[in-house]
Amino acid sequence: MILRFLFPVLMCCAAAAAQADSIWDSMGVPSAVGGDGPPANILAPDAKQGFAGTVALGYIGTSGNTDTSSLDARFNISYTSGRWFHDLSAETQHTSQNGNTTVSRFDSSGQSNYLFSAHDYVFGHLSYDHNQFGGFEQRTSEAVGYGRRLLEGGTQTLDLEVGVGARQDDLSDGTQQNSGILRFGGKYVWQFSKNGSFGQALAIEKGTDNTYTESITSLQANLISSFAVVLSYTVKHNTSVPVGNVRTDTYTTVSLQYSFN
């Protein structure tokens, strides 16, 4: 099941733009799922310090026989200070059809990392998700653990993480589930051309009542200056859901992204 979520074939090119100083800069990989490891070469003497981030906005509207609208907004901000790297992200999506809301969700996460070597770090992760029409209306999880950069150099970077923590779920049937979790996370980035990049982020939270898997696949095409077009595909899967709900939700978004540092 999980393998279906990984690395869909996406290829794209775009017009000229300046290449990012780090292949982690503005890669268009929403980071709410985890795997939010430190930037490449963070311990180098000339490594960038301070704040950086992205803001993205996407909108699709149709009219005629069916009136629909979909708005997706996302931001990510990070702060680097020596061996510390902090990352905060949030995304909201609202979709309506003929005046009736069909999708209303908000996802957010924060992660702090401390590097004790060039490729190893410990982290603390906190996430909160709200989905008005999902089987899990609210979900909060906390985890601490260890991460390692398995691949760095050239045009590719890969981080994997493992941790332990707890999760609190409010279900659509009015019940609650609280459990300890094992958390696995990963993030892969490939700068396949000067103006094009591919990203894959994955998180798995295994609890006693439910195993939650979230995958975000993204493709970024740089345009001009600090602007880019980002296509992302999100899959959220629960092994156990309340009666009347489906186990898997998917979201496809196209957005214009602005990067700053």
Side-chain angles (χ1 to χ4, degrees):
M1 179 68 70
I2 294 172
L3 292 177
R4 290 192 306 152
F5 303 156
L6 290 173
F7 304 108
V9 178
L10 294 170
M11 296 299 295
C12 179
C13 294
Q19 186 173 5
D21 293 334
S22 162
I23 63 174
W24 280 98
D25 293 343
S26 67
M27 297 307 297
V29 186
S31 57
V33 302
D36 310 325
N41 303 317
I42 186 175
L43 296 182
D46 59 346
K48 285 186 176 181
Q49 303 290 305
F51 288 97
T54 60
V55 178
L57 182 66
Y59 175 79
I60 298 176
T62 65
S63 62
N65 293 319
T66 302
D67 294 326
T68 64
S69 64
S70 180
L71 176 66
D72 181 84
R74 182 176 70 251
F75 88 90
N76 174 264
I77 188 168
S78 63
Y79 180 75
T80 304
S81 178
R83 292 179 177 268
W84 285 97
F85 176 71
H86 309 280
D87 187 89
L88 176 66
S89 65
E91 180 179 10
T92 183
Q93 184 179 29
H94 183 87
T95 302
S96 62
Q97 182 172 358
N98 296 329
N100 298 314
T101 300
T102 57
V103 175
S104 180
R105 67 182 182 93
F106 174 79
D107 301 336
S108 62
S109 76
Q111 181 161 317
S112 291
N113 310 272
Y114 179 79
L115 279 81
F116 55 89
S117 78
H119 296 91
D120 302 274
Y121 58 95
V122 292
F123 70 87
H125 182 88
L126 175 66
S127 64
Y128 170 79
D129 301 336
H130 175 78
N131 189 343
Q132 182 177 346
F133 300 98
F136 293 78
E137 291 187 353
Q138 293 187 104
R139 167 179 281 132
T140 305
S141 63
E142 313 87 20
V144 294
Y146 163 78
R148 179 170 175 80
R149 174 144 299 161
L150 297 180
L151 178 63
E152 178 178 304
T155 60
Q156 300 181 72
T157 300
L158 172 65
D159 282 358
L160 293 181
E161 298 176 348
V162 60
V164 296
R167 185 175 64 211
Q168 303 81 44
D169 296 325
D170 292 339
L171 281 66
S172 59
D173 60 7
T175 62
Q176 293 183 329
Q177 292 180 351
N178 300 319
S179 68
I181 58 171
L182 289 175
R183 180 181 175 86
F184 305 92
K187 191 173 184 180
Y188 169 76
V189 175
W190 174 32
Q191 184 95 36
F192 60 81
S193 74
K194 180 179 179 180
N195 303 310
S197 54
F198 169 85
Q200 174 68 47
L202 175 71
I204 303 171
E205 293 182 351
K206 182 174 179 56
T208 54
D209 300 309
N210 176 53
T211 297
Y212 172 64
T213 302
E214 182 172 347
S215 167
I216 300 178
T217 306
S218 68
L219 185 68
Q220 174 173 314
N222 295 329
L223 297 176
I224 57 175
S225 186
S226 299
F227 289 92
V229 173
V230 178
L231 169 66
S232 67
Y233 179 69
T234 301
V235 179
K236 299 186 176 187
H237 177 78
N238 293 279
T239 58
S240 177
V241 297
V243 175
N245 291 272
V246 297
R247 295 183 178 182
T248 303
D249 293 312
T250 63
Y251 308 95
T252 301
T253 61
V254 180
S255 55
L256 179 65
Q257 178 175 277
Y258 172 76
S259 302
F260 60 91
N261 52 35

